[in-house]
Amino acid sequence: MPREPRFDPLFQPLKIGPVTAPNRFYQVPHCTGMGFAMPETLAAMRAVKAEGGWGVVCTEYCSIDPTSDDHPAPYATLWDQGDVRNMAKIAAGVHAHGALAGVELWHGGFRSSNNLSRATPLGPVSQLTSTTPVQSARMDLADIRDYRRAHKAAALRAKEAGFDIVYVYAAHTYLLAQFLNRQINQRDDGYGGSIGNRIRLIRELLEETKEAIGDKCAIAIRLEVDDEVTPGSDPLGEKRFLLESIRDTTDLFDLTISDYYQEMGVSRFHKQGSLESFIADVRTLVGKPVVSVGRYTSPEAMLSLVKGGITDLVGAARPSIADPFIPNKIRDGRLDDIRECIGCNICYASDHQGVPLRCTQNPTMGEEWRRGWHPEIVPAASTREKVLVIGAGPAGLEAALTLGRQGHEVILTEASRELGGRLINETKLPGLQEWMRVRDYRAHQLSKLDNVAIYRESRMSAADVREIGAAHVLVATGSHWRKSGSGRYHLAGVASFDDPRTFSPDEIMAGKRPATGPIVIFDGEEYYMASALAEMLAKEGRQVTYVTGAGVVSAWSVKTAEQHLVQARLIECGVEIVVSQVVTELFPQEAELACAFSGRTRRIACAGFIPVTSREPNDALWQELSADASTFRSLTRIGDCKAPGHIAIAVHDGHRAARELGQPALVKRDRALVDAHL
């Protein structure tokens, strides 16, 4: 069906310097976990974004030369002609779908340790690098001239590679932001001191880049609109001065704020559009196109952003990962088919771990080249077969949906009345309501498929399964939290945890509560569950002590850019936080803690105990069926029933099982190969 006319403003072309964006959907530069080491994977992913209707598709941060090396973090490079060749594939793939290609030229300054290149780190001052006990060299005037030449050379390579928009990157505490920061930049030459001096390098780069490539390429700048020293405001008017000073040499302003953890905020703490109040007046000030992000998933919010004159373009990173086809779905009047980002930041965590992007909502993300998966196209099955999926949690729902789109006759059974599995209770935890989008999207899409039958309140026995006569059976019966304490700190569990005071996270989420008195939560998993339970119980007025063997609360959530927010929230809620301690025993009315380093023990009051350590797969049905699997063409366990993990793993596993049903997996490897003739 055609789009609603009210969304027409989102599909108006926009002139940006010498180029024209075909619409107002702008995929801003975002990390991918791919970088220069995986050029095929990277190019295929960006091409899918353009195919999905994003009018501008940008790279991740792209190093200009070996003095800007973020290894082991994955980043793009434009150091030489080999990079031109690889990056040209990205631009060509984006252009094939009528979109513009943008590249974010980057220098890390003293944030980059240059571990791979071994070049001396550089910065406006000599300061410790981010990840190593090594300091940068204070750039002298010759270093600054070399940097300007390197930036210009990289811009020319970007033009040669076919990019339409080239960035000067002055945000996120990298080199140019370091020069801007009056607290950091204490230089006494023409590049330090006054705001006029501190913005000098940015002005020079903009002018030189425009002179070099401005005839064919638009020049963009990415910068923060608030003050790095006093985040959230611009008390001295320095950012306003900067914006006014560079508006004539800049074609596009990509705006953000200095609080990266709000810009990248998880939905547990930050909702859609949280940057709007900061950027609302900039468009009027600069008189040039403006783009910004806000994890916009609602077409209405996108329309309001543009019609309200806040920005000219709707910037997106995470929403374009969750659904690369958002623009086309709005264009085609298929708003109910949009797969909305849930704001969990598993995408960010994957890049943080140096692996290709993954997404809880979009299991095809990062698999476009390697497995040949497309987010909207599932090839029809060569033979239509009857497939039984047992369990309608994240893995089961995704498997049933993918199998249904392949054309199979699918029977999906669920033991409870409500679909969603673990999501039903987990989304009742503080701040996690948006995670139910995982269930809601799939349930709605399944309702459109006549070849998928859903049976609720249908707990299956082995006899029931065999009676159905399905050729293929996928068991997605989930998992449950262990009460034994078995996990990374106690591999075999702890006998004394078998105590009436011990409650599992499942029991707490289901409404059970310990007796009156202090509750001890032991976090051995170190993601969101223990801290969310602690917050929930504290808000109920319970006295809570959170204990972890790690050095901080929810240690793994550093990777999802929320750890400090989680710890601050527990402090605000009055939770007592005990780090680097392990719960080793339960005694009457007490829990024994041992120091994770010295082993020294102490006891604390404990009227209720919640170990959050590991989960037990609910695989009894699968095991029983496996005893005689000859009646099925295939019998597969998927998701948490096979290997408990976070929701993205379960969704991906369900998708993979469906794609690979009855056929071998074909997985390519993206790597450099030695020339056999050398």
Side-chain angles (χ1 to χ4, degrees):
M1 60 182 293
R3 71 170 178 263
E4 299 177 46
R6 62 197 176 96
F7 289 114
D8 286 351
L10 296 177
F11 295 89
Q12 294 297 316
L14 179 69
K15 187 171 177 56
I16 306 172
V19 300
T20 300
N23 59 36
R24 303 306 178 92
F25 297 97
Y26 192 107
Q27 183 247 277
V28 298
H30 70 74
C31 294
T32 65
M34 302 168 192
F36 68 83
M38 305 182 76
E40 297 280 9
T41 305
L42 184 57
M45 183 273 292
R46 298 294 188 196
V48 166
K49 299 280 197 78
E51 181 188 354
W54 295 90
V56 179
V57 177
C58 297
T59 69
E60 58 266 72
Y61 64 152
C62 182
S63 171
I64 62 171
D65 76 354
T67 66
S68 183
D69 159 30
D70 225 16
H71 199 78
Y75 55 95
T77 52
L78 267 173
W79 295 359
D80 52 36
Q81 288 304 118
D83 289 329
V84 171
R85 177 180 172 183
N86 286 347
M87 296 293 280
K89 185 157 190 175
I90 297 175
V94 170
H95 291 158
H97 299 285
L100 300 180
V103 60
E104 184 179 54
L105 299 184
W106 161 77
H107 196 291
F110 62 66
R111 275 194 58 184
S112 296
S113 304
N114 299 341
N115 293 326
L116 182 63
S117 71
R118 301 193 73 174
T120 301
L122 298 172
V125 295
S126 180
Q127 187 53 270
L128 279 169
T129 58
S130 292
T131 58
T132 59
V134 174
Q135 290 190 209
S136 62
R138 181 185 185 274
M139 296 172 73
D140 60 21
L141 296 181
D143 292 325
I144 292 175
R145 286 193 295 270
D146 288 343
Y147 165 61
R148 289 166 56 187
R149 283 193 289 266
H151 193 281
K152 180 178 179 179
L156 288 167
R157 287 192 286 270
K159 178 182 177 182
E160 182 182 354
F163 286 94
D164 309 288
I165 299 174
V166 177
Y167 272 74
V168 172
Y169 190 5
H172 298 146
T173 71
Y174 293 125
L175 180 63
L176 293 178
Q178 294 161 19
F179 270 92
L180 272 177
N181 189 311
R182 64 181 180 278
Q183 197 170 57
I184 294 172
N185 186 353
Q186 300 291 322
R187 300 171 67 97
D188 57 5
D189 58 12
Y191 290 94
S194 70
I195 180 60
N197 285 350
R198 284 183 279 118
I199 71 170
R200 176 181 169 184
L201 186 54
I202 292 175
R203 294 184 63 174
E204 289 173 341
L205 290 183
L206 286 168
E207 291 166 359
E208 290 162 3
T209 305
K210 197 169 190 68
E211 179 183 356
I213 63 171
D215 58 327
K216 294 288 183 65
C217 303
I219 311 304
I221 188 166
R222 199 175 203 183
L223 55 82
E224 295 144 359
V225 297
D226 60 335
D227 186 68
E228 296 89 349
V229 180
T230 56
S233 64
D234 183 23
L236 303 180
E238 291 190 346
K239 287 303 175 70
R240 184 180 182 89
F241 177 80
L242 169 61
L243 290 165
E244 291 174 334
S245 300
I246 62 175
R247 59 190 173 192
D248 291 338
T249 51
T250 305
D251 299 314
L252 173 70
F253 288 82
D254 184 342
L255 305 176
T256 185
I257 60 175
S258 58
D259 184 351
Y260 186 68
Y261 300 101
Q262 180 172 346
E263 177 191 351
M264 272 296 299
V266 293
S267 59
R268 183 175 174 183
F269 297 101
H270 293 290
K271 302 307 176 185
Q272 174 179 266
S274 68
L275 273 60
E276 285 188 23
S277 61
F278 296 96
I279 63 171
D281 300 328
V282 175
R283 182 172 175 269
T284 301
L285 176 65
V286 298
K288 295 288 182 68
V290 166
V291 64
S292 187
V293 296
R295 200 171 58 81
Y296 293 101
T297 63
S298 162
E300 299 290 350
M302 297 176 191
L303 179 63
S304 175
L305 194 68
V306 173
K307 286 191 67 176
I310 297 173
T311 67
D312 298 275
L313 297 140
V314 179
R318 290 170 291 172
S320 73
I321 294 167
D323 193 340
F325 278 69
I326 287 176
N328 285 358
K329 290 176 180 178
I330 298 174
R331 180 199 66 191
D332 299 337
R334 298 189 296 122
L335 305 188
D336 65 327
D337 290 335
I338 292 174
R339 194 170 46 247
E340 292 184 273
C341 170
I342 69 170
C344 65
N345 277 9
I346 284 297
C347 54
Y348 186 79
S350 60
D351 179 74
H352 195 281
Q353 296 174 99
V355 297
L357 280 180
R358 56 209 56 193
C359 174
T360 300
Q361 279 283 59
N362 177 12
T364 71
M365 177 50 57
E367 303 284 17
E368 299 86 354
W369 181 83
R370 183 170 69 167
R371 296 181 186 270
W373 290 358
H374 190 282
E376 300 299 315
I377 301 172
V378 179
S382 57
T383 303
R384 188 175 191 265
E385 299 185 89
K386 180 186 284 189
V387 185
L388 171 63
V389 180
I390 306 168
L397 287 168
E398 178 62 28
L401 177 59
T402 306
L403 290 163
R405 287 173 169 172
Q406 289 173 322
H408 291 294
E409 177 190 351
V410 182
I411 299 170
L412 173 63
T413 65
E414 167 54 42
S416 66
R417 179 65 186 163
E418 191 174 357
L419 306 180
R422 61 187 284 190
L423 292 164
I424 296 169
N425 284 329
E426 290 189 21
T427 55
K428 296 173 184 176
L429 293 171
L432 301 187
Q433 290 74 28
E434 286 188 39
W435 290 22
M436 190 55 92
R437 291 172 176 175
V438 174
R439 190 275 309 269
D440 292 346
Y441 168 78
R442 286 159 180 82
H444 180 65
Q445 296 301 310
L446 284 167
S447 72
K448 298 182 177 186
L449 299 176
D450 294 335
N451 56 319
V452 178
I454 301 176
Y455 295 91
R456 304 167 189 252
E457 298 178 299
S458 300
R459 186 174 297 277
M460 303 295 287
S461 67
D464 295 331
V465 173
R466 291 192 173 93
E467 184 179 344
I468 286 176
H472 303 274
V473 176
L474 278 64
V475 182
T477 44
S479 65
H480 62 274
W481 286 95
R482 292 168 172 151
K483 298 170 71 172
S484 67
S486 173
R488 60 168 52 95
Y489 294 106
H490 305 297
L491 295 179
V494 179
S496 64
F497 288 4
D498 184 8
D499 185 289
R501 289 171 293 165
T502 302
F503 291 76
S504 73
D506 297 311
E507 291 174 323
I508 297 297
M509 288 187 288
K512 292 185 178 181
R513 294 291 183 270
T516 302
I519 298 171
V520 176
I521 298 177
F522 174 43
D523 187 2
E525 186 217 25
E526 300 171 0
Y527 188 20
Y528 61 87
M529 179 57 68
S531 64
L533 292 174
E535 179 182 346
M536 180 178 71
L537 292 170
K539 287 179 174 177
E540 292 176 4
R542 302 302 299 265
Q543 179 184 344
V544 179
T545 300
Y546 169 98
V547 180
T548 179
V552 294
V553 171
S554 298
W556 198 83
S557 66
V558 167
K559 296 175 174 57
T560 52
E562 60 185 310
Q563 188 283 321
H564 73 292
L565 297 172
V566 173
Q567 189 148 346
R569 177 64 56 83
L570 295 197
I571 292 170
E572 292 169 4
C573 291
V575 174
E576 182 179 354
I577 296 170
V578 180
V579 299
S580 302
Q581 300 278 317
V582 176
V583 180
T584 54
E585 296 282 351
L586 290 185
F587 294 96
Q589 299 304 310
E590 291 182 318
E592 181 183 80
L593 311 184
C595 174
F597 303 103
S598 69
R600 185 178 302 164
T601 62
R602 66 186 178 98
R603 295 185 184 184
I604 61 173
C606 177
F609 178 57
I610 307 170
V612 184
T613 55
S614 68
R615 287 177 280 160
E616 181 68 23
N618 297 331
D619 60 0
L621 177 59
W622 175 80
Q623 291 190 40
E624 186 175 356
L625 292 170
S626 296
D628 182 13
S630 60
T631 54
F632 314 113
R633 282 197 60 201
S634 70
L635 171 65
T636 309
R637 53 181 172 160
I638 61 174
D640 290 347
C641 171
K642 179 172 67 176
H646 51 69
I647 297 167
I649 291 176
V651 172
H652 183 273
D653 201 44
H655 190 87
R656 178 172 55 191
R659 290 259 190 177
E660 297 174 358
L661 187 76
Q663 57 186 4
L666 299 175
V667 183
K668 296 182 287 188
R669 291 180 61 199
D670 198 356
R671 65 198 189 282
L673 295 173
V674 175
D675 190 332
H677 301 291
L678 295 180

